[in-house]
């Protein structure tokens, strides 16, 4: 899925749609995000040595996991991150890196989902986390 296709699943727009592409391979969501020097989240984090904030890495993981719901979601939805557990950061992610994710849903009781995922650069583990999120119908009445 490219960014246009991702927008049919995710409510995120503009700078907050953090995936460049994503697919489901053998039941796992795999996402990609090329970290560009002009990313809003790098401005001031940190001058002279920019690294992607951990919260952004976790958001990229969560957006990746939502791709697994593609066949279940019909119509506009609002996706809300509800929890993060066991988050571990192993390596910084910097401009120029291709950040790749792999996520699985471990449990679901709609509208709630529990997932785990990893983020890597060139195969090297950068972040791992368990997280939960909820998916609600989007209010399209205005």
């Amino acid at each position: 899925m490219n960014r246009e296709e991702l927008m049919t699943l995710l409510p995120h727009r503009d700078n907050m749609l953090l995936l460049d592409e994503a697919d489901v391979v053998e039941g796992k969501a795999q996402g990609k995000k090329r970290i560009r020097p002009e990313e809003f989240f790098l401005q001031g984090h940190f001058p002279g040595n920019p690294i992607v904030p951990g919260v952004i890495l976790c958001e990229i993981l969560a957006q990746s996991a939502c791709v697994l719901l593609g066949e279940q979601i019909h119509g506009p939805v609002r996706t809300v991150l509800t929890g993060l557990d066991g988050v571990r950061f192993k390596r910084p992610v910097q401009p120029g890196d291709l950040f790749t994710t792999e996520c699985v849903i471990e449990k679901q009781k709609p509208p709630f989902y529990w997932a785990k995922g990893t983020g890597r650069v060139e195969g090297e583990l950068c972040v791992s986390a368990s997280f939960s999120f909820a998916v609600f119908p989007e209010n399209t009445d205005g």
Side-chain angles (χ1 to χ4, degrees):
M1 303 181 102
N2 61 28
R3 285 180 65 86
E4 309 278 315
E5 294 165 320
L6 287 166
M7 286 192 285
T8 66
L9 292 177
L10 298 170
H12 307 80
R13 295 294 181 266
D14 303 320
N15 292 335
M16 283 310 297
L17 178 57
L18 296 173
L19 289 171
D20 294 330
E21 61 183 86
D23 286 300
V24 177
V25 179
E26 297 179 4
K28 297 177 182 176
Q30 296 180 345
K32 293 181 182 176
K33 169 69 174 169
R34 174 69 64 184
I35 307 300
R36 295 165 187 81
E38 64 275 6
E39 303 281 4
F40 78 93
F41 49 78
L42 293 174
Q43 308 311 310
H45 197 268
F46 300 99
N49 186 27
I51 64 171
V52 178
V55 67
I56 296 293
L57 297 177
C58 292
E59 178 66 22
I60 296 170
L61 287 177
Q63 289 183 20
S64 296
C66 290
V67 173
L68 292 167
L69 304 178
E71 293 180 5
Q72 297 175 39
I73 296 175
H74 303 287
V77 296
R78 178 167 306 232
T79 308
V80 180
L81 190 62
T82 58
L84 287 167
D85 294 301
V87 179
R88 297 290 179 264
F89 300 104
K90 303 291 186 179
R91 174 199 185 280
V93 179
Q94 301 174 303
D97 286 344
L98 177 62
F99 182 68
T100 60
T101 64
E102 185 172 278
C103 299
V104 296
I105 300 221
E106 296 187 300
K107 180 177 142 185
Q108 58 184 327
K109 189 173 181 181
F112 299 101
Y113 298 84
W114 291 263
K116 68 178 179 179
T118 57
R120 299 174 185 275
V121 171
E122 295 181 5
E124 190 175 344
L125 183 65
C126 300
V127 61
S128 61
S130 293
F131 50 95
S132 58
F133 58 98
V135 178
F136 302 103
E138 183 73 74
N139 181 356
T140 57
D141 294 337

